[in-house]
Amino acid sequence: MMDYLDQVADFAANTPSAALPPEVIARTALILADCLGAIAGGAAEPEMQRLSAGVQGTAVVIGTALRADPARAAFLNGTAGTVLEMDEGNQFCKGHPGMHTVPAALAFAGGIKVSGRDLLSAIAIGYEVGARIGIATQLRPAMHPHGTWGTVAAAVAVARLAGRDAAGMRHAMNIAASFCLATSRRTMLEGGTVRNAYAGISGQMGLTTHDLLSAGFEGDHDGVGQVFGKVVSDRFNTDAMVEGLGDRWEVSRNYFKMHSCCRYNHATLDALAMIVARDGAPDPAQIARIEVETYSLAVELDDATPRNTLAAKFSVPFAVATALVNGSTEVGSFTAPNLANPAIRALAAKVVLREDKAMTAALPHKRPARVTVIYVDGHRAMAETQTNRGDWADPYPVPEIRAKYLSLTTRVWPASRAAAIWDATLALADAEDARALQDQISIACQEVR
């Protein structure tokens, strides 16, 4: 009888691209477009420009005029896509499968002829397997989910593109599981920007797995269960790996982000936006205190004096304050000048967080928050939300996702090129050769402003 990993490997290797439902292919194309936006936007950041300097090779380094060897390109693109905290995610696996899968798939596909539908199928299936490991696993609380099960997501996408059979797919998953990083959750809370590289390393390891497998290397018989059930976690639910496999697709349960900060901030920011929409923007000078009641993971983000922009993206007090002072939670509101803004710092000090245990119990299906603005004259304004805008229960309209993509990509590409790449990505399923999309990206990168 096939064990759970045989079933997953068979699904990943042998599900025909034509068998993926049209809505799954369309959603994957939208995820790909969103990832391209996050990568291109992140490539404009100074640290990414320094990290990419001098690379050489054949694979596109998105958002630059450079090329690198495929593994290095996957690393750079995955890292750039994490920097701005604008990449999509999946609340059920508690992470970001897209940014672990897409860079590896693109880097490998750039060197072979593969149809657009086959590329999208590889991304969807890599995403599926990685997300299911995240769902099946309860990582140790001190771990950050980036760079963990994402290694397997990347390896599966590459193995799929390479035409591995089910046995080869199982080997790929077991090898990639051993590349799970010992990630630190404190990095995100303290602003340790090494955290931004975790997803990039997963993409790089996805291609390294392919090289090792091609050379005859092997992993544990059940490396996935060993690593995710005994090394980085004490719980691994094999039933969750195969439940509804092929019927329930995790790309269809993803979320997109508009706030340029950790997802755990978003319920609070959505509730705050409800207050502003209803009552108008409050005068920060008239605010005595802002009380936030939310779930436990969000309450961890309580640093009112973050030391850098990454720490600011993982701070509910800062996110609330910059939202009110700037009237925005886009990329520009989480910059160094805002970090030093005395008005933002003073308002952040007035934000108080408390856990509501009923809200914590509602995870993962809901992401609740209740925000109460208390004014110096004693009156109060309150709003509450049960979910985050942009997730499967309250999705953003596609035009809003496109507007976000354009706001990010036009940091480095001409607007006309960015719009053309968006259109080509959403039509990718009809492309005979997916390299045509990468050619467009390469041309745009040569016109980086």
Side-chain angles (χ1 to χ4, degrees):
M1 293 179 61
M2 296 200 320
D3 66 9
Y4 84 96
L5 200 55
D6 280 336
Q7 293 179 59
V8 174
D10 179 69
F11 163 80
N14 295 325
T15 301
S17 294
L20 272 67
E23 62 272 17
V24 170
I25 292 294
R27 188 69 172 185
T28 304
L30 190 60
I31 289 171
L32 173 56
D34 187 76
C35 287
L36 291 175
I39 295 167
E45 293 297 294
E47 64 267 36
M48 285 309 308
Q49 293 177 2
R50 292 191 292 269
L51 188 63
S52 302
V55 296
Q56 295 181 343
T58 59
V60 173
V61 180
I62 297 167
T64 78
L66 302 169
R67 289 178 179 266
D69 71 82
R72 184 68 175 177
F75 167 73
L76 292 171
N77 291 333
T79 302
T82 307
V83 167
L84 298 179
E85 269 297 307
M86 291 296 270
D87 52 317
E88 69 83 50
N90 182 294
Q91 68 198 64
F92 300 99
C93 70
K94 301 176 287 296
H96 300 258
M99 200 50 68
H100 290 76
T101 310
V102 164
L106 286 179
F108 188 79
I112 60 174
K113 182 177 180 179
V114 59
S115 73
R117 187 178 184 90
D118 284 344
L119 174 58
L120 292 172
S121 297
I123 292 170
I125 288 171
Y127 190 116
E128 185 73 21
V129 175
R132 282 176 176 268
I133 296 173
I135 292 167
T137 303
Q138 184 62 55
L139 291 174
R140 301 195 187 286
M143 291 193 72
H144 193 298
H146 282 22
T148 56
W149 43 258
T151 59
V152 183
V156 166
V158 171
R160 169 93 183 184
L161 290 167
R164 302 286 183 192
D165 62 13
M169 185 67 74
R170 177 170 180 141
H171 282 310
M173 289 190 286
N174 286 331
I175 291 171
S178 287
F179 292 137
C180 172
L181 294 175
T183 57
S184 169
R185 188 176 182 84
R186 291 303 309 173
T187 55
M188 73 180 195
L189 300 174
E190 296 179 8
T193 51
V194 64
R195 168 261 180 197
N196 292 335
Y198 293 164
I201 292 171
S202 281
Q204 186 176 31
M205 291 301 100
L207 282 109
T208 300
T209 294
H210 169 75
D211 292 341
L212 290 171
L213 188 54
S214 297
F217 285 72
E218 296 182 7
D220 302 4
H221 174 71
D222 182 7
V224 173
Q226 178 69 19
V227 170
F228 294 99
K230 297 182 180 180
V231 179
V232 300
S233 167
D234 293 322
R235 191 203 77 185
F236 184 69
N237 182 356
T238 57
D239 290 340
M241 289 293 297
V242 296
E243 180 184 2
L245 188 64
D247 294 322
R248 188 196 77 221
W249 288 86
E250 289 307 315
V251 293
S252 300
R253 301 203 298 171
N254 86 310
Y255 62 75
F256 294 105
K257 298 173 71 173
M258 297 295 171
H259 308 300
S260 183
C261 56
C262 175
R263 184 68 168 171
Y264 299 157
N265 287 303
H266 290 207
T268 297
L269 294 174
D270 288 346
L272 184 66
M274 294 165 64
I275 293 173
V276 172
R278 184 188 66 214
D279 303 335
D283 178 359
Q286 299 303 311
I287 295 174
R289 188 168 72 257
I290 299 175
E291 296 180 352
V292 176
E293 298 163 278
T294 186
Y295 55 94
S296 58
L297 295 172
V299 172
E300 282 188 338
L301 312 188
D302 62 352
D303 184 2
T305 57
R307 71 182 180 93
N308 62 16
T309 56
L310 177 62
K313 291 173 182 289
F314 286 83
S315 165
V316 171
F318 182 88
V320 167
T322 196
L324 290 176
V325 171
N326 287 303
S328 169
T329 53
E330 296 180 353
V331 171
S333 294
F334 291 87
T335 58
N338 282 299
L339 199 64
N341 186 326
I344 293 175
R345 296 181 74 86
L347 187 55
K350 299 178 181 180
V351 179
V352 179
L353 277 73
R354 288 196 296 271
E355 179 187 1
D356 183 318
K357 293 190 181 299
M359 292 182 177
T360 299
L363 300 175
H365 292 277
K366 295 182 179 180
R367 288 285 191 272
R370 182 183 305 111
V371 176
T372 304
V373 179
I374 303 169
Y375 294 89
V376 293
D377 64 5
H379 84 275
R380 297 172 172 238
M382 188 273 286
E384 181 175 349
T385 183
Q386 292 297 310
T387 189
N388 295 343
R389 286 202 66 212
D391 73 10
W392 63 278
D394 187 14
Y396 288 118
V398 172
E400 289 191 37
I401 299 171
R402 181 179 185 273
K404 167 202 162 182
Y405 160 91
L406 290 174
S407 75
L408 295 174
T409 53
T410 52
R411 301 182 87 201
V412 292
W413 296 340
S416 60
R417 291 288 187 191
I421 291 170
W422 169 273
D423 292 341
T425 305
L426 265 58
L428 186 59
D430 298 324
E432 293 184 5
D433 190 340
R435 288 176 295 186
L437 173 62
Q438 300 217 42
D439 289 343
Q440 286 187 259
I441 293 171
S442 181
I443 292 169
C445 290
Q446 292 170 18
E447 298 179 3
V448 171
R449 295 174 296 175

